Every structure is written in structure tokens, then in C-alpha cells.
Amino acid sequence: MAKERYMTDITSKKIVLGITGGVAAYKAAELVRRLGEHGITVHVVMTQAACGFITPSTLQALSGNPVYTDMWDTRIHNSMAHIELSRDKAAIVIAPATADFMAKLVHGHADDLLSTLCLARDCSLLVAPAMNRQMWDHPATQRNVTQLEKDGVTLLGPASGDQACGEIGAGRMLEAQDIADAVAAFLAPKTLSGLTVLMTAGPTFEPIDAVRGITNRSSGKMGYAIARAAIGAGAKVTLISGPSSQPVPVGASVTNVQSAAEMFAAVKLNAKQADIFIGVAAVADYRVEKPREHKIKKTDKAALTLKLVPNPDILAWVAAQPKPPFTVGFAAESQNLETYADEKRRRKKVNLIVANLAQNAIGADDNEVMLLDDSGTHKLMRAPKEAVAKEIVARIAALYGAAK
Ligand code: C5P
């Protein structure tokens, strides 16, 4: 069967990444990689000062596209680089944006390639400020921020924390991952606008005693990526998460739980308000019947027997409600993927099952999935989990729309 992409959304999106002359320019290299994971094609334009912090050849190698630094670059045949470079782009993203560059934007200066591009653009402009805390707090910069927002420019950050100058405060650039996620969310079509999505993600932890427990190797990466993609698509997302070290998706309402019983209780509380339920969590099938209050002491003589009892099936419970939300389950199998996943879809009565091989998926950064619904099986290409998540959300939106 041919592998498909559902993406009508951002895989084909191209942006200009403008880099200006601040020390945070070093993070731009990482940003290009993270944007690429979202399926965004990046064309870099640098100011002369930015070239003092990071070289165009680094950005060229990472983006796979020529880097422009100069108005008079002869690679654009009609000498209209200031217009041509932004024409087929969805947005210009300036990261880092210095205080000086923001001031230039406010006043409409056009004295180098990047500022001219911004003035001549017909696409959105996003800026990620990066500067010393006193420069950020200065009334002039604050006036400029207000004016940029009035002009329809989207501000990404800044964050607070340690600064390269040794001071601590507001003004440092957001981390590359956060900027990439925000840009991807900005560009995503709002296919889930006005809808409430309830999700589970991560592993569960079933206590044995005060310090020990049974868990699994689910990282939460796939679930958190789906939460971000759903937020990008305009949904209100409630995420019930087992223990995970993944960064909290910006804009999600997150409830942290440990055991399947806690996850089930949190899902029950929120299920009625949900239009869509996505069960990504690797919920433990069994829990210890009577976890001990105190640490079990080792004895050299006797074997230790733990009695395990089944956990409730959260996904099946949601799907069996009188007026269930559109339900999506995951199936991680180690063999016979399609057969087992389809059997699970029918037995649990869910609208869509996302199936992956456990050995390929758990803890990995990439994933290869197949989607099973009433219309059949659709295989997606192996891709970073962020990109796979967007395809899954696009498919959910299409099926949800068709069902209504
Ligand atoms: O039956 P199996 O555990 O393979 O099904 C996986 C799907 O069911 C996942 O979507 C998972 O989140 C969900 N599930 C659940 N509650 C359980 C077990 C699995 O919601 N107790």
C-alpha cells in the first residue's frame, strides 16, 4: 500500500528566518533544525551584524537553502531580492530580533536587505526579541513593542533568566524549540477551531510500595506533540499526563497524574465537555492489588509475590458513553500490526486507531504510523513525531468534520 501524507497544511510552508546581530544568534542554528522537524522550509536572511556572531555557511548547511545577506546579491536575477525573497513565504520570522532592529521596524527603515524585506512584505511578521534586560525595559523599547503589536506584528517572548551579559531578567530569547513550536502553531490551519480536545499521554506508574512501582518506557513525546498540533489547529486542549519529562505544551491545560486510576478519574471529570478524546497514554493494563504503605523489606528466604488486578480501560469507557466524543486510540504492537490494531478499533468502538510498532515508537524521536478508520488503512511516512502529530490532527479534523 502506498504511504500517504494528509498534510495540506504546513509541510509545504516556507518562511524567511531573519537573523539580526545579537549573541542569541547562535540559537538560530538550532531553530532552523527545529523548524525543519515541523516540516517548515527555511530561507535565511542575515544582517551584517548577525554574520559577526554566526556564519552564513552554517545556516546554509542546516537550512539546505542559499543564505542572503546583501541587497545587491546577484543570485536574484532581477535585483529585486527585497521583494522576491518574501513573495512565496507564509511569514518572516526575526530571531533573534535586537532592540535596534525592532526600532527600525517601528519606523519603517529600509537600509539593508532584512529591513527592506520586512517593509516590502505581504506576509505575516513574527519577532523573537533578544536583548539585555535594561534595553528590554527601556521606555523606548517598550514603546516600540506596543507599536509593533498595533502594526499586527506577533511577538514571541522574550523569556526571563540568565543573560549572556551576566545579568538576570527579561529580554533573553525564547529557546529554539519554543520558537519553532510557536511558528508552527501560527502557520497551522485552524481546523479544530472552537473544539475541546481531551487527551491522555505518557506512561502510568502503578505503586508497589512507598518507593517502588510498575511503569513502562513511554516518554510522552507523541502525546505532547499531538497536544501541540491540536493547539496549533485552534483546539482548547486538556492534557491528562502520566510522568513525563517533556516540556509542557504552551496553551494546554495539564493535569499530572501517576496511576491509571488517577488518569481515569481525571478523564471522567473532563469527558462530558470534550468534542474529541485522544488516548495516547501507555496505560498499565494491571496494577498491584494492595500497594504497601511502607517500603517492602528484603528477605533472603521467601520469594515475593505481587497480585496484579486489571485496570479500567479508559479509552473503551469514553467510547461507550451515551454521547461519546469522537474517540481516537493508539495501538502499539510488536507484530501483526494492522490485524491487531483493527481488532482493537472494533472491540473498543473507537472512530480512529493510530497504530505503530512498539519497537519503532517508544521513546524514539521519529515514528511511522498507520491510521485505521471505517474507510480503511492509511500508512504515513516515517517522520519526526512533531510532523506525524500534525498529520494525525489533520486526519482527525477531516474525519470529525465529515462525521458532523
Ligand atoms: O488495549 P491496548 O492497551 O493496546 O489499547 C491501547 C489504547 O487504549 C491506547 O489508546 C491507550 O491509551 C488506551 N488504553 C486506555 N486504558 C487502558 C489501556 C489502554 O485508555 N487501561
Side-chain angles (χ1 to χ4, degrees), residues 310-324:
N311 270 328
D313 191 313
I314 302 170
L315 178 65
W317 179 88
V318 173
Q321 291 310 289
K323 281 191 192 161

Side-chain angles (χ1 to χ4, degrees), residues 378-396:
H378 308 270
K379 291 185 181 174
L380 302 186
M381 292 192 296
R382 186 168 189 87
K385 285 181 175 171
E386 294 295 334
V388 172
K390 288 194 195 78
E391 301 198 37
I392 293 170
V393 164
R395 182 66 178 162
I396 292 172

Side-chain angles (χ1 to χ4, degrees), residues 153-178:
V153 175
T154 300
L155 268 283
L156 306 175
S160 279
D162 293 343
Q163 303 203 310
C165 54
E167 296 180 8
I168 298 173
R172 71 182 251 161
M173 190 168 86
L174 291 183
E175 293 307 322
Q177 184 71 64
D178 294 334

